[in-house]
RNA sequence: GGGCGGUUAGCUCAGUUGGUUAGAGCGCCACGUUGACAUCGUGGAGGUCGGAGAUUCGAAUUCUCUACCGCCCACCA
C-alpha cells in the first residue's frame, strides 16, 4: 500500500499529462475515422473558425460541446468523424491584414497590388491557422486532422466553382443593380451585418428647388430637407404624396387608436401629435394639395447647381406629416429612394467614385470628397438664396464594422443568387423535420428569414476569396451577343465540358467556366472577354462545407458514407447566414439535407452581460484558462454552464502575476495598460500595454474564477481514484452475486445505473449542463462522500475486502467512462493507471480489450441494479447520519470523541437501518446502542433530533451544553407550531379536502401527524432539559 | 416598430407533468489537517421566486397585463 500512495501524486499534473496523452492518442490514430461498413457513421463538421485571429472562449464552448458528442458516439461504437478546418472569412481577414499593412508600412492594398496582398493574407492565414489548430489540440479536440480543410483550398475551390456554374446554368445566378453599403476606405461593399450604427452630431438642411414655369396659383419653389445635402447632385425627382389629406387622416386614425391603448402617462404626448396634425392641415395642406396636382400634370423642377430638369412626382413615400411634406429622391444613394426610383421609373445617377470622391455626374464638384462637397454645396445653395434653414440634429449614421468609416449607400452592379426556390426547399426541410433545430424556438428565426426569399448578393469587391468564374464581354448589338452566347453554350456538352453563357440585356455576354485553369479561359480572354474581379461572399464557400470537405463534387466513398452529417453545433448568430445556406446548398448539390440535427448553444457574456471581445478587453483566452486550471477544467466548466435557455454570464478577473490575486474586471479598469494589484501593490500589464514602460511589467492574464468548480472537481476525482488504487493492491477480479451484496454496494450500483441512464439521455438531447451536474453529483456526493467513506472500514476487514475492491474498481471504471467525453485527459490518465490492476475490472467479469479509454465502450445502464427500495433505505441512513453530525457540531463535540446514540423508530425502519449500524461509527463517530429502543432514563438528558419519523437520541453525558439544546428546541418548537397551524388550516378548508386528490390530502394528514409527533417530542425534550438544570 | 429570451440566496445559475419546509456551486460564519483529497471535511446563516391581476383547494411553475435587462430583425428624408 505504501508504494502506490508514494507513486501517485495527490495532484494531477495536467500540463504535462495532457500534452503527452494527446500526442499518444494522435500517434495511435485514435482520432481517425474511416469508411467502415460495419459501423454506423456519426459526423460533425466543425464550424470553421475564421483565420482572422485566435480562438476565444466562445469557440472553446462550441468545440467542447462538439467533442463531447464525437467522443460519446465514438465510445458508443459509431465511426465518429469530426471534420476540422478553418474559414478564409473574406472581408474580415482582408481588413485585418490591410489594417496591419497601413499601421506597419503605411501602405494601402493598391500600393501592393492584388497578387502581393493575397500573398500576405495567405501568410497571415498560415500563422493563425496553426495557432487555431493548436488551440483545438490543447483543448483535447478529437478531430480527424488528416482531413483538415480550408474554405479557400483546392478541394473547396472546386466545389465552389462547380456549384456556381450549376446555379448559373440553372439561371439562378443573375446580375442586378443594387444599393450596397459602400466602405470608401476598403473600397468594397459590406453586408448589412457588417454595419454598425452610431449617433453623431449633424445638421438637417432645408433648401428649395425652383419650379420650372409655375402656373398661376402654383408655388415658385419646393422645399425639401436632408442630412446629406451633397446627395442632391444625384437627385432625379422630388416626391409629394398623391393624396395628402387622406394620408393625414390615416395618420390621425392610427394615432387615435394608439391613444385608446397607450398608458395614461403617454397619452399627453400622443394627443400633442394629434393636435400637431390639425396645425399641419392649416399650414401645409393647401400647398401639398397644389403640389400633388402639379405632380399629376407633370410639373418639372430645376435642380440647382447642376441645372438638371427633374420631375415632381406623386408617391406615397412622401409623408405629408413630416418636414415640408416633400422629399428629394436620390435613387442611387438611398435605399428608400431606390425603391421609389424603381416604382416611378426614375433615372438613377451615381455620383460617387469607389474611393468616396465625387465623379463626373457631379459636375463642378467632381473630385471632391464627400465632406468637401457637402460644405461647398451648402455654401453654393446659400449663395443662390435657396437655403431655407439649418437645424442641428443627431444623426444615426451607418459605419463599416471593418474600417470604422461611414458607409455610403451606393448603387452598384452585383451578382445575385435567386432565392425563391432554394429558400423554399430549405424551409421545407425544417418544417418537415428532416432538419431538427434545438432548442426548437430557433426554428422560427430560420423560417422567417428564409421566408423573405430575398435574393442573395454574392459578390464582394475584395481580393481575398473565390474569384467569380465569369468572363464578360459587351458586344455592339444584341444580335452579336446572342450569337456569342449561343456559340459558347454549344460548348457545354462538348469536350470543354463545363461552360454556360447568358446574355445580359442589351448586349453583354457572361460566360461561366466550371473548370479552373481550363483552356476555355484562355480562349475567352483572347476573344476579349474579361474576368469578373469580384470574389464570392465568404458564406458561399461555407455553405458547401458539409459536402465540400468530404470531397464533393467527386463521388468519394467518404461522401457516400459520412454524408449527410449527423449534427451541427453552433451559435445562434449564424443560423441564417450559415445554417440556412448550408441546408439550401446541400439540397441543391446533393438533394439531401446536410445534417439532421442542429444544436444552438448559449453565448458567453462577461459579468456585465456584454459579449466578450478583444476590443473591449473583457475576452478570456482559453489558453490562459487552460494554463491556470487545465484543459479538463475549461471543458467541464463550460459544459456545466451550458444550460438550455440562458447565455453564460461569466464575471471576469485579472490575475496578478505576482501574487495570483484575482482582481474583478470593471468597465473602468478593463482597458488600462497597467494595473496595480491591490493586494501586493505591484503593477502588471494588460493587452493594452503599448509603451515600453508598460510592457516591462509582467502580463496579468484575464481569467474567470468560474472555472474553480471544475478544477476542484478534477482534483476530487483524481484523489478518489488515488484512494481506490492505493487500496486495490492484491485485487483479484471475481464474479459477485449481486443479490448477495451488502446494502451499500447495491446502493452505489443502483445509483451508478440511474446516473448512467440519465447522463446518456442528457447528452443525447444536448442537455450538457444536466449531464455535467448529474455525473458531478454522483462522483462527489455519492461515490466519494458515502461509498468511499464506507469502503474504508470494509477494506480493513479481510472477509469483506475483496468484494469492496471489486465494486470500487467497477464503479471507478464506469465513472471514468461517463466523464470521459467532458474531461478526456484526467480520465484517460487515471484509466491508464487503473489498467495495471488487470484488464478485468467490471462486475460482469468482461475483460477490457481497448488500450485507450477514449476508444473503450460507453457504459450500459444495468437496469436490474436500479432498486428504489435500497435507495429509500439508504436515505434513512443518511438522515440519521445527518442528525448525528448536526448534534455533534451543535454541541461542539471533538472529532476524536465518540458518542452513543439510539434511534427510536418503527420496526420496519429498524430493519432498514440494521445493516448500516457499523457505518455510524466511521462516518459520524457515533456508536449505536439500540435501534427501535431508547436509552431508558438517563441522569443527564440527551440531545435529540427528530427526522423522517425517527428520533435520534444522543447521550452526551457530561459534555452536553444544556442551554444550547434548549435554545435549539425552542426554535424548533416555534417552527413546528407554525407549520402545524398551516397544515391544520389547509385541512380544515372544505374546498381542499373535497377537491384535492385523495392521495394529496392523505399525505397532508400524514404530514400533520408527523409534525405533531415531532412537536410532542421536542416539548418532552425541552421539559427534561429544563428539569435537569 | 416586430420577434425571442431572461428576472429565484450577496454572486452565477438549477427547479421535470402545479402538491410537504424552493435547491446547487462560489462567497459568508463556526469547527476540523485520524493516511484519497484544505483544490478537503462537518455543521450553520441567508430567498414573501421583478411587480400587479387571473385561473385553481393549491402557483416559482399556467394565463393576462406591466417594469427592467439582453439579443435578433425591420426602420430612421
Amino acid at each position: 500500500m505504501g508504494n502506490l500512495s508514494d507513486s501517485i501524486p495527490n495532484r494531477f499534473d495536467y500540463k504535462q499529462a495532457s500534452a503527452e496523452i494527446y500526442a499518444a492518442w494522435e500517434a495511435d490514430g485514435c482520432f481517425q475515422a474511416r469508411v467502415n461498413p460495419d459501423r454506423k457513421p456519426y459526423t460533425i463538421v466543425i464550424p470553421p473558425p475564421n483565420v482572422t485571429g485566435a480562438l476565444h472562449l466562445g469557440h472553446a464552448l462550441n468545440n467542447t460541446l462538439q467533442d463531447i458528442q464525437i467522443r460519446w458516439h465514438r465510445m458508443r461504437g459509431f465511426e465518429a468523424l469530426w471534420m476540422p478546418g478553418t474559414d478564409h472569412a473574406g472581408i474580415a481577414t482582408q481588413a485585418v491584414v490591410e489594417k496591419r499593412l497601413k499601421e506597419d508600412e503605411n501602405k494601402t492594398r493598391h500600393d501592393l497590388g492584388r497578387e502581393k496582398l493575397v500573398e500576405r493574407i495567405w501568410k497571415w492565414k498560415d500563422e493563425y491557422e496553426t495557432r487555431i489548430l493548436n488551440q483545438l489540440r490543447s483543448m483535447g479536440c478529437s478531430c480527424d486532422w488528416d482531413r483538415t480543410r480550408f474554405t479557400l483550398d483546392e478541394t473547396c475551390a472546386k466545389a465552389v466553382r462547380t456549384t456556381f456554374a450549376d446555379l448559373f446554368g440553372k439561371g439562378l445566378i443573375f446580375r442586378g443593380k443594387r444599393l450596397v453599403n459602400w466602405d470608401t476606405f476598403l473600397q468594397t461593399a459590406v453586408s448589412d451585418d457588417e454595419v454598425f450604427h452610431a449617433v453623431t452630431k449633424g445638421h438637417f438642411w432645408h433648401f428649395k428647388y425652383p419650379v420650372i414655369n409655375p402656373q398661376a396659383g402654383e408655388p415658385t419653389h419646393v422645399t425639401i430637407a436632408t442630412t446629406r445635402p451633397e446627395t442632391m447632385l444625384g437627385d432625379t425627382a422630388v416626391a409629394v404624396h398623391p393624396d395628402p389629406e387622406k394620408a393625414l387622416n390615416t395618420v390621425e386614425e392610427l394615432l387615435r387608436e394608439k391613444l385608446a391603448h397607450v398608458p395614461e402617462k403617454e397619452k399627453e404626448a400622443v394627443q400633442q401629435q394629434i393636435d400637431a396634425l390639425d396645425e399641419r392641415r392649416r399650414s401645409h395642406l393647401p400647398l401639398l394639395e397644389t403640389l400633388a396636382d402639379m405632380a399629376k400634370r407633370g410639373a418639372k423642377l430645376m435642380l440647382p447647381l447642376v441645372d438638371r430638369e427633374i420631375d415632381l412626382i406623386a408617391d406615397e413615400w412622401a409623408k405629408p406629416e413630416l418636414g415640408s411634406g416633400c422629399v428629394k429622391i436620390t435613387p442611387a444613394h438611398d435605399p428608400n429612394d431606390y425603391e421609389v426610383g424603381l416604382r416611378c421609373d426614375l433615372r438613377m445617377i451615381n455620383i460617387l467614385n469607389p474611393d468616396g470622391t465625387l465623379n463626373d455626374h457631379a459636375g463642378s464638384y467632381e473630385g471632391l470628397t464627400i465632406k468637401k462637397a457637402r460644405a461647398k454645396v451648402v455654401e453654393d445653395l446659400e449663395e443662390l438664396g435657396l437655403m431655407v434653414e439649418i437645424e442641428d440634429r443627431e444623426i444615426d449614421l451607418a459605419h463599416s464594422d471593418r474600417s470604422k468609416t461611414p458607409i455610403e449607400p451606393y448603387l452598384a452592379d452585383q451578382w445575385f443568387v435567386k432565392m425563391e426556390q432554394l429558400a423554399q426547399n430549405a424551409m421545407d426541410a425544417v418544417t418537415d423535420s428532416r432538419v431538427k433545430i434545438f432548442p426548437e424556438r430557433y426554428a422560427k428565426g430560420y423560417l422567417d428569414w428564409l421566408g423573405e426569399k430575398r435574393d442573395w448578393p454574392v459578390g464582394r469587391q475584395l481580393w481575398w476569396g473565390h474569384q467569380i468564374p465569369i468572363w464578360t464581354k459587351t458586344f455592339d448589338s444584341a444580335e452579336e451577343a446572342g450569337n456569342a452566347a449561343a456559340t459558347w453554350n454549344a460548348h457545354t456538352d462538348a469536350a470543354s465540358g463545363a461552360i454556360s453563357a447568358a446574355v445580359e440585356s442589351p448586349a453583354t455576354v457572361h460566360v461561366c467556366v466550371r473548370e479552373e485553369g481550363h483552356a476555355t479561359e484562355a480562349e475567352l480572354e483572347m476573344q476579349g472577354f474579361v474576368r469578373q474581379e469580384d470574389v464570392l461572399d465568404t458564406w458561399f464557400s461555407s455553405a458547401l462545407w458539409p459536402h465540400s470537405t468530404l470531397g464533393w463534387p467527386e463521388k468519394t466513398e467518404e461522401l457516400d458514407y459520412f454524408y449527410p452529417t449527423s449534427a451541427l453545433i453552433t451559435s445562434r448568430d449564424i443560423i441564417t447566414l450559415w445554417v440556412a445556406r448550408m441546408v439550401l446548398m446541400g439540397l441543391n448539390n446533393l438533394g439531401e439535407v446536410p445534417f439532421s440535427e442542429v444544436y444552438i448553444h448559449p453565448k458567453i457574456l462577461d459579468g456585465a452581460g456584454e459579449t466578450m471581445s478583444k476590443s473591449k478587453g473583457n475576452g478570456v483566452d482559453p489558453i490562459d484558462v487552460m494554463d491556470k486550471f487545465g484543459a479538463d477544467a475549461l471543458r467541464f466548466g463550460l459544459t456545466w454552464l451550458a444550460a438550455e435557455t440562458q447565455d453564460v454570464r461569466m464575471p471576469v478577473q485579472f490575475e496578478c502575476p505576482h501574487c495570483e490575486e484575482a482582481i474583478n474586471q470593471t468597465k473602468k479598469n478593463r482597458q488600462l495598460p497597467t494595473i496595480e494589484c491591490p493586494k501586493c501593490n505591484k503593477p502588471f500589464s494588460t493587452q493594452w500595454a503599448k509603451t515600453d514602460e508598460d510592457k516591462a511589467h509582467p502580463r496579468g492574464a484575464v481569467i474567470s474564477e468560474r472555472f474553480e468548480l471544475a478544477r476542484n472537481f478534477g482534483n476530487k476525482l483524481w484523489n478518489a481514484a488515488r484512494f481506490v488504487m492505493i487500496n486495490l493492491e492484491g485485487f483479484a477480479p471475481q464474479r459477485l452475486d449481486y443479490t448477495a451484496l451488502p446494502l451499500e454496494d447495491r446502493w452505489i450500483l443502483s445509483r451508478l445505473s440511474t446516473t448512467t441512464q440519465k447522463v446518456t439521455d442528457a447528452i443525447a438531447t444536448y442537455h450538457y449542463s444536466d449531464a455535467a451536474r448529474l455525473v458531478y453529483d454522483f462522483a462527489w456526493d455519492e461515490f466519494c462522500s458515502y461509498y468511499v467513506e464506507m469502503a474504508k472500514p470494509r477494506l480493513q476487514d479481510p472477509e469483506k475486502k475483496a468484494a469492496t475492491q471489486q465494486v470500487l474498481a467497477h464503479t471507478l471504471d464506469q465513472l471514468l467512462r461517463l466523464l470521459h467525453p467532458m474531461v478526456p485527459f484526467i480520465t484517460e490518465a487515471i484509466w491508464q493507471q487503473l489498467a495495471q490492476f488487470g484488464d478485468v475490472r467490471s462486475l460482469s467479469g468482461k475483460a477490457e480489450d481497448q488500450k485507450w479509454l477514449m476508444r473503450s465502450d460507453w457504459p450500459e445502464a444495468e437496469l436490474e441494479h436500479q432498486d428504489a427500495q435500497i435507495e429509500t433505505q439508504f436515505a434513512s441512513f443518511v438522515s440519521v447520519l445527518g442528525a448525528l453530525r448536526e448534534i455533534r457540531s451543535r454541541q461542539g463535540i471533538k472529532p476524536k470523541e465518540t458518542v452513543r446514540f439510539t434511534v427510536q423508530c418503527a420496526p420496519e425502519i429498524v430493519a432498514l437501518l440494521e445493516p448500516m449500524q457499523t457505518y455510524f461509527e466511521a462516518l459520524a463517530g457515533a456508536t449505536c446502542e439500540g435501534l427501535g429502543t431508547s436509552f431508558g432514563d438517563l441522569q443527564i438528558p440527551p440531545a435529540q433530533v427528530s427526522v423522517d419519523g425517527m428520533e435520534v437520541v444522543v447521550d452526551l453525558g457530561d459534555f452536553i451544553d444544556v442551554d444550547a439544546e434548549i435554545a435549539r428546541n425552542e426554535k424548533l418548537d416555534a417552527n413546528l407550531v407554525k407549520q402545524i397551524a398551516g397544515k391544520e388550516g389547509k385541512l380544515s378548508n372544505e374546498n381542499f379536502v373535497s377537491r384535492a386528490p385523495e392521495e394529496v390530502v392523505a399525505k397532508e394528514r400524514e404530514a400533520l401527524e408527523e409534525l405533531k409527533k415531532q412537536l410532542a417530542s421536542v416539548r418532552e425534550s425541552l421539559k427534561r432539559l429544563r428539569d435537569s438544570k
Side-chain angles (χ1 to χ4, degrees), chain A residues 207 232 304-305 377-387:
Chain A
F207 45 86
M232 60 83 64
L305 309 186
V377 164
V378 169
E379 194 187 312
D380 292 348
L381 285 171
E382 271 178 341
E383 208 161 289
L384 292 171
L386 295 171
M387 189 59 71

Side-chain angles (χ1 to χ4, degrees), chain A residues 227-476:
Chain A
T227 55
R228 297 189 301 153
E230 73 286 358
T231 59
M232 60 83 64
L233 300 168
D235 281 3
T236 52
V238 168
V240 62
H241 197 282
D243 189 349
E245 184 171 15
K246 190 173 149 203
L248 286 174
N249 291 342
T250 311
V251 172
E252 183 170 349
E253 262 170 48
L254 287 174
L255 283 172
R256 290 204 181 279
E257 197 170 316
K258 190 174 168 191
L259 189 64
H261 295 96
V262 101
E264 211 48 49
K265 56 187 173 182
E266 288 169 38
K267 280 197 184 339
E268 195 178 332
V270 177
Q271 187 59 51
Q272 274 175 13
Q273 286 176 20
I274 294 173
D275 296 345
L277 283 180
D278 282 337
E279 171 59 27
R280 186 160 269 270
R281 281 197 183 91
R282 278 192 296 277
S283 61
H284 284 72
L285 196 50
L287 177 61
L288 289 175
E289 297 279 8
T290 312
L291 288 170
D293 290 339
M294 288 166 67
K296 278 163 209 158
R297 76 158 169 85
K300 305 265 185 224
L301 307 176
M302 180 54 71
L303 186 67
L305 309 186
V306 283
D307 293 333
R308 186 161 68 230
E309 251 186 42
I310 60 173
D311 294 325
L312 180 65
I313 59 168
D315 189 277
E316 297 187 356
W317 166 240
K319 305 276 189 291
E321 71 274 17
L322 294 177
S324 67
C326 298
V327 56
K328 66 194 266 307
I329 304 295
T330 323
H333 293 284
D334 181 280
N336 295 302
D337 292 5
Y338 177 65
E339 294 299 320
V340 176
L342 286 182
R343 268 201 300 275
C344 302
D345 199 19
L346 298 175
R347 272 184 76 193
M348 305 203 179
I349 300 176
N350 184 354
I351 59 165
L352 284 179
N353 289 313
D355 64 358
T357 57
L358 273 61
N359 64 20
D360 55 359
H361 287 127
S364 63
Y365 301 87
E366 183 181 358
L368 296 179
T369 62
I370 290 165
K371 205 174 158 189
K372 283 186 181 153
R374 176 171 302 175
K376 186 138 197 305
V377 164
V378 169
E379 194 187 312
D380 292 348
L381 285 171
E382 271 178 341
E383 208 161 289
L384 292 171
L386 295 171
M387 189 59 71
V388 179
E389 189 192 351
I390 302 174
E391 263 180 76
D392 286 336
R393 186 186 253 215
E394 293 205 323
I395 296 165
D396 190 16
L397 197 60
H399 289 73
S400 164
D401 205 26
R402 303 299 169 193
S403 67
K404 314 296 177 198
T405 56
I407 287 291
E408 297 300 330
Y410 181 110
L411 196 64
D413 285 324
Q414 288 284 304
W415 289 99
F416 290 85
V417 176
K418 191 144 194 55
M419 289 294 276
E420 180 77 36
Q421 193 55 50
L422 294 173
Q424 187 58 51
N425 295 344
M427 289 170 75
D428 293 345
V430 165
T431 355
D432 66 19
S433 294
R434 275 174 292 155
V435 175
K436 293 194 198 73
I437 299 180
F438 304 95
E440 234 175 316
R441 64 173 183 279
Y442 290 114
K444 188 173 159 34
Y446 172 100
L447 292 171
D448 287 352
W449 187 81
L450 280 174
E452 292 186 27
K453 297 183 178 174
R454 278 197 280 185
D455 293 329
W456 176 14
V458 282
R460 293 293 120 102
Q461 291 66 40
L462 291 173
W463 293 347
W464 176 243
H466 294 278
Q467 195 174 350
I468 291 179
I470 285 184
W471 279 256
T472 300
K473 183 178 177 183
T474 301
F475 291 85
D476 293 335

